[in-house]
Amino acid sequence: RGLGDVYKRQHLEQINMIRIDIDRWEEILITITRNKTRSLLTAFGVFWGIFMLVALMGGSQGMQDMLASQFDGFATNSGFMGTNQTSKAYKGFRKGRWWDLENKDVERVRRAIPEIDVVTPTIAKWGMTALYKENKINCTLKGVYPEYTNIEEPVIVQGRFINMVDVKERRKVCVIGKRIHETLFPKGDNPCGKFLSINGIYYQIIGISTTAGNMSLQGNALTSITIPFTTIQQNYNFGQKIQLLCYTAKPGYSISEIEKKVDKVIKQAHLIHPDDKQALVTVNAEAMFSMIDNLFKGIKILSWMVGLGTLLAGAIGVSNIMMVTVKERTTEIGIRRAIGAKPRDIMNQILSESMVLTIIAGMSGICFAVFILQMMEIGTAHSDTPAHFQISFWMAIGACILLMILGTLAGLAPAYRAMAIKPIEAIRDE
């Protein structure tokens, strides 16, 4: 019998706790919906703040992915060097002299600079016409060594790329770009083994490259045809000349440091004034990629600042409205205190109302932002530059935690004000 009374009493206590919790949530709902217009306008500040934060973060990530896809397969630790007119007279040579890089420069640079990982020359001819049966297309003809894949990695979907046997034997073979294949072979046939004509010279197709980045050297990869370097030198009377010297740095070394050494070696070999800034044209891809990374870091920081600032403004709005609510409920709070409510109970009630309003508005903002980002991702899914606009799972969790913190902070000042209300003053105020 004694145990039965204990269980019965515990059961009644649990029912009372549940009833109290239900009453509490009903009170929160009634308080929030008492003035619908005011609650909606207050919630909109939080909604818009978290929407801006999530949308800006997801949007910046998508933009970064789209830009990165333009450089896909391109070596970020690479540098390039070409020639220009000299601007200074030197050792009997006049100012304004035209000069060319040559095959020997590749070996000179390779021997003199051990920090270089790969060094390879390239030649290109623009305005060429490729012809297969009745189909033709304007294209760029590029001559490269197999090592060029360390600079711009081709995506070979059929066949193969240029190899050293092709280079040594000066074979008339070629690798065609994606648009070349689509134009000359509109039915999607396998072109490998077939011959196409490039300005009257026939080349056998050995592969198809679908590289689509916009960082292609000496012409767009989509409309380029690649042949062995020695073949282009022989067929188009380049002799020992090369147009561009490409190189990559070994791990731990900077292209900016290597660039100065390459500059010195080339100028000494071709009798160019050491202080001539015009004679050599250099491109530092490493510095360019670093600049782009810094740009997107700045965009992300700006996104956080704008989003957090807007969200903080919304939280301040919630705090102001809760202060007004506490003022309106002065008598109610005083009566509660008079019948035995503890200050902690009053504080928990006000904090709960603030957190519920903030979390409902914030979660709505997150859902809407995710929906917009998903639409953007679907819109770019079938384009040449697909991107991932969605935020990560942990970023979403972080946004939820941030909402809870802001909801608590927004309710602290109103809660302390409510705790300070004395029953006598509340009744006198009434």
Side-chain angles (χ1 to χ4, degrees), residues 381-403:
H382 301 291
S383 65
D384 292 334
T385 56
H388 181 68
F389 284 92
Q390 285 294 0
I391 60 172
S392 66
F393 172 77
W394 291 111
M395 185 177 293
I397 294 297
C400 294
I401 294 174
L402 181 62
L403 283 173

Side-chain angles (χ1 to χ4, degrees), residues 20 163 174 193:
I20 290 171
N163 59 33
C174 67

Side-chain angles (χ1 to χ4, degrees), residues 81 135 181 210 244 254 316 351:
M81 186 170 288
N135 300 317
H181 176 237
T210 59
L244 204 63
S254 170
I316 292 173
L351 286 177

Side-chain angles (χ1 to χ4, degrees), residues 123-130 137-143 175-177 180 198 217-227 232 243:
I123 292 176
K125 282 186 69 66
W126 292 268
M128 308 296 283
T129 302
I137 184 175
N138 293 328
C139 64
T140 302
L141 190 64
K142 297 169 63 173
V175 177
I176 63 176
I180 302 289
I198 304 177
L217 287 176
Q218 297 178 312
N220 194 317
L222 295 173
T223 56
S224 294
I225 297 178
T226 306
I227 66 174
I232 198 171
Q243 291 178 344

Side-chain angles (χ1 to χ4, degrees), residues 62-113:
M63 288 176 59
Q64 187 171 3
D65 289 347
M66 291 178 69
L67 187 59
S69 66
Q70 302 298 314
F71 309 134
D72 193 27
F74 198 87
T76 58
N77 63 334
S78 57
F80 311 94
M81 186 170 288
T83 64
N84 195 13
Q85 271 185 304
T86 59
S87 61
K88 293 186 178 183
Y90 187 65
K91 290 191 176 181
F93 290 98
R94 62 181 177 83
K95 174 184 175 181
R97 170 171 60 102
W98 289 99
W99 63 287
D100 295 292
L101 293 168
E102 56 188 15
N103 290 346
K104 293 180 181 179
D105 290 326
V106 178
E107 192 58 35
R108 286 187 184 118
V109 170
R110 185 180 287 119
R111 287 199 309 265
I113 309 173

Side-chain angles (χ1 to χ4, degrees), residues 179-190:
R179 196 166 298 162
I180 302 289
H181 176 237
E182 292 172 349
T183 303
L184 299 185
F185 302 89
K187 295 182 180 180
D189 301 338
N190 184 357

